[in-house]
Amino acid sequence: MKLPFAESFKIKMVEPIRRSTREEREEWIKNANYNLFNLRSNQVFVDLLTDSGTGAMSDRQWSEMMLGDESYAGASSYYKLKNAIKHITGFDYFLPTHQGRAAENVLFSALIKEGDIVPGNSHFDTTKAHIEFRKSQAVDCTIDEAFDTELDYPFKGNIDVNKLEKVLSNNPKEKIPLIIVTVTCNTSGGQPVSMKNMKEVSAVARKYGIPVYYDSARFAENAYFIKMREEGYGNTSIRDIVKEMFSYADGMTMSSKKDAIVNMGGFIGFRHKEVFDKASVYNILFEGFNTYGGMSGRDMNALAQGLYDGTEFDHLESRIGQVAFLGQMLRDKGIPVQYPFGGHAIFVDAKRFLPNIPKEEYVAQTLAVELYIEGGVRGVEIGSIMADRDPVTGQNRYPDLELMRLAIPRRTYTNDHMRYVAAAIINVFERRDKITKGLKIVKEAPILRHFTVELEKV
Ligand SMILES: *Cc1c(COP(=O)(O)O)cnc(C)c1O
């Protein structure tokens, strides 16, 4: 018998979680205005809202916390992190920030001006918001295969190089400050970008003289997929793959709350000192002095160790294996989920799950609310609420995909929790014909509205 994968850790500390009744959950979600972000965490049994900052740190990370150097300037923790970033990514210069969007804020302040165009593969919501906030435009150049949730294609995060080249050749160079490649591509379902594609993007970008930055939150998961799926990389170590990936970029933004397995933190990596110098000014203005940015010394230490933890093959195998374990249980029951499974989450195709709900009634949000009521499982909508209104026309944007994302925190839940989640989804699926009414918005913010939106049942 082939031995199955098993978690690459054992548990040293536990946090109790509590089940609730359906009646309690119906009351709680109503009081939360049908916005899952408004629930209290103790009203949730299995929390798959996000894999961001929700992972469990290792004993090595916790011991690093005790060694943190809290000096304002020149702390040893800064140099420890600098060495880890250089060792793992190859970038010589870096700025610590308090999380990923802060890295975007600082970098974009240095690079993007009004009227600019920023091509990439399905920009992440905060990335897009930071671009649009600067009255610039994010242009999605993802391959068409990404939008077919059934199609078995190994690298659905890839950039369509023809689409990219069209944008680069149709616009003046001064209007395109950078290209952003998101690895893995969160918005298109945690789907990886191939090494070949990164090389091609880099070649096109060089031809037009445009820098390439990686939005790198899940760079290690991307490397794992390259190792498992891309020809020629089966015997290459994760760390060597990571090094090669970043060799095609001019810099990176990082939300360390993902693959570096810390609860808070981020950074920007740079190849060129000129851009680093320019961004440093904004880092000091928005985040803090360059040797701590938005982080305490102990947090930088834990992050440095997390970069090593997160790029271990055994960790990635059990983490991505657990995501696929959940996905396969759903797929076996005929539930429409994106395939191949992404690295950090399972994405349920809500339009196909609930065909009776019109898109104006927020299909994926409706499904996420139903799942919460069913089992106290919290997922998140990646659909038209998150897509915000068009900043120019003020009209709702309806993306091709309405997804309910179930993001799996790293090293946090067991496979029994995954079985519980699968059972709750299967129960909703079996009563899907009775779900005929969706939700309507009663209050919303002008940007990133999904965090605070208030809804009621139609
Ligand atoms: C999480 C994430 C961000 C933003 O990072 P925060 O730490 O949440 O601010 C940016 N890009 C991608 C791809 C992400 O997954």
Side-chain angles (χ1 to χ4, degrees):
M1 188 193 242
K2 182 174 182 284
L3 294 176
F5 82 91
E7 285 81 356
S8 64
F9 53 84
K10 57 182 179 174
I11 295 164
K12 194 163 349 203
M13 188 187 284
V14 296
E15 175 182 341
I17 49 177
R18 184 176 91 78
R19 295 175 75 166
S20 52
T21 65
R22 178 181 289 258
E23 290 68 37
E24 285 176 316
R25 293 191 292 271
E26 279 172 347
E27 179 72 21
W28 291 335
I29 193 67
K30 185 162 176 274
N31 291 340
N33 300 304
Y34 299 97
N35 179 346
L36 295 130
F37 285 99
N38 286 338
L39 289 169
R40 291 175 183 227
S41 63
N42 63 6
Q43 296 169 336
V44 176
F45 183 52
V46 181
D47 202 349
L48 307 185
L49 181 73
T50 177
D51 64 324
S52 178
T54 53
M57 291 208 298
S58 65
D59 51 358
R60 286 174 294 179
Q61 285 178 290
W62 279 109
S63 59
E64 279 297 331
M65 298 277 289
M66 302 304 279
L67 301 173
D69 175 355
E70 306 303 340
S71 306
Y72 191 97
S76 68
S77 299
Y78 167 79
Y79 289 102
K80 191 175 268 182
L81 180 54
K82 185 175 167 62
N83 286 340
I85 290 172
K86 169 72 181 167
H87 187 215
I88 298 286
T89 71
F91 290 119
D92 284 322
Y93 304 97
F94 98 101
L95 289 171
T97 64
H98 77 274
Q99 62 184 98
R101 71 199 67 184
E104 291 165 352
N105 187 32
V106 169
L107 181 68
F108 296 176
S109 294
L111 296 183
I112 300 179
K113 58 186 188 315
E114 186 171 338
D116 281 351
I117 292 166
V118 183
N121 54 345
S122 298
H123 306 66
F124 183 65
D125 60 351
T126 62
T127 317
K128 192 169 178 168
H130 269 293
I131 293 168
E132 292 180 348
F133 181 71
R134 289 170 172 78
K135 300 195 162 52
S136 319
Q137 195 194 344
V139 181
D140 187 356
C141 299
T142 314
I143 54 168
D144 292 334
E145 287 87 340
F147 302 101
D148 181 346
T149 55
E150 284 285 277
L151 185 73
D152 191 356
Y153 189 83
F155 293 103
K156 284 184 175 176
N158 279 359
I159 288 199
D160 183 326
V161 180
N162 292 324
K163 285 186 198 170
L164 175 66
E165 183 140 21
K166 215 181 245 168
V167 176
L168 301 191
S169 62
N170 287 344
N171 292 284
K173 186 185 161 198
E174 313 76 64
K175 274 199 165 308
I176 310 176
L178 75 166
I179 297 164
I180 298 175
V181 183
T182 307
V183 293
T184 59
C185 190
N186 191 344
T187 307
S188 76
Q191 297 290 323
V193 179
S194 72
M195 195 73 89
K196 180 164 172 279
N197 192 246
M198 290 184 222
K199 252 187 257 187
E200 288 167 353
V201 167
S202 152
V204 174
R206 226 173 311 124
K207 186 170 134 192
Y208 290 86
I210 313 280
V212 179
Y213 282 76
Y214 289 174
D215 182 356
S216 319
R218 298 181 186 79
F219 72 97
E221 292 171 10
N222 200 95
Y224 176 83
F225 284 121
I226 288 174
K227 183 176 173 71
M228 303 314 282
R229 296 181 185 170
E230 191 161 350
E231 212 185 311
Y233 288 95
N235 292 320
T236 313
S237 73
I238 295 291
R239 300 241 170 96
D240 284 347
I241 293 174
V242 166
K243 268 274 179 62
E244 185 182 342
M245 282 166 53
F246 285 119
S247 74
Y248 304 119
D250 296 283
M252 65 185 287
T253 55
M254 178 74 187
S255 167
S256 310
K257 302 168 71 175
K258 290 40 174 279
D259 274 357
I261 330 181
V262 289
N263 303 113
M264 191 54 73
F267 62 87
I268 315 169
F270 305 86
R271 192 169 307 289
H272 313 288
K273 185 160 186 306
E274 312 79 77
V275 195
F276 165 80
D277 285 342
K278 212 170 157 197
S280 294
V281 177
Y282 295 100
N283 210 57
I284 293 170
L285 186 62
F286 296 143
E287 292 293 297
F289 181 60
N290 288 339
T291 64
Y292 69 88
M295 276 190 283
S296 54
R298 56 181 171 269
D299 286 341
M300 288 192 282
N301 271 17
L303 166 50
Q305 179 59 43
L307 287 170
Y308 291 102
D309 281 20
T311 49
E312 273 173 17
F313 178 81
D314 287 355
H315 157 67
L316 289 164
E317 183 186 45
S318 69
R319 187 255 183 312
I320 292 174
Q322 183 175 56
V323 174
F325 176 68
L326 172 62
Q328 196 57 47
M329 283 187 285
L330 301 178
R331 206 157 180 254
D332 288 346
K333 290 284 179 187
I335 292 169
V337 291
Q338 187 186 48
Y339 192 81
F341 309 124
H344 68 292
I346 293 300
F347 293 75
V348 182
D349 187 334
K351 278 199 226 168
R352 288 173 50 224
F353 193 113
L354 294 177
N356 298 327
I357 308 282
K359 70 175 192 304
E360 292 77 11
E361 294 181 12
Y362 307 109
V363 195
Q365 183 71 14
T366 301
L367 179 56
V369 167
E370 287 295 335
L371 176 60
Y372 172 71
I373 292 171
E374 182 66 36
V377 176
R378 174 156 69 170
V380 73
E381 188 248 25
I382 310 269
S384 39
I385 296 181
M386 185 183 265
D388 273 333
R389 290 173 186 274
D390 186 296
V392 179
T393 67
Q395 294 300 305
N396 267 327
R397 292 191 277 210
Y398 295 104
D400 292 336
L401 295 177
E402 279 279 345
L403 301 169
M404 175 181 69
R405 186 185 74 181
L406 304 164
I408 317 294
R410 293 163 186 77
R411 311 191 286 209
T412 302
Y413 292 113
T414 66
N415 285 347
D416 277 338
H417 291 111
M418 297 303 114
R419 286 193 187 89
Y420 176 93
V421 171
I425 296 170
I426 291 163
N427 286 350
V428 178
F429 193 59
E430 284 172 353
R431 62 177 172 82
R432 67 189 181 282
D433 289 342
K434 297 200 190 77
I435 303 169
T436 54
K437 289 211 188 320
L439 298 160
K440 64 171 188 256
I441 290 181
V442 290
K443 199 168 165 210
E444 64 186 290
I447 203 161
L448 294 173
R449 64 179 177 178
H450 53 288
F451 288 117
T452 52
V453 70
E454 293 180 10
L455 299 140
E456 64 190 28
K457 284 196 167 170
V458 170

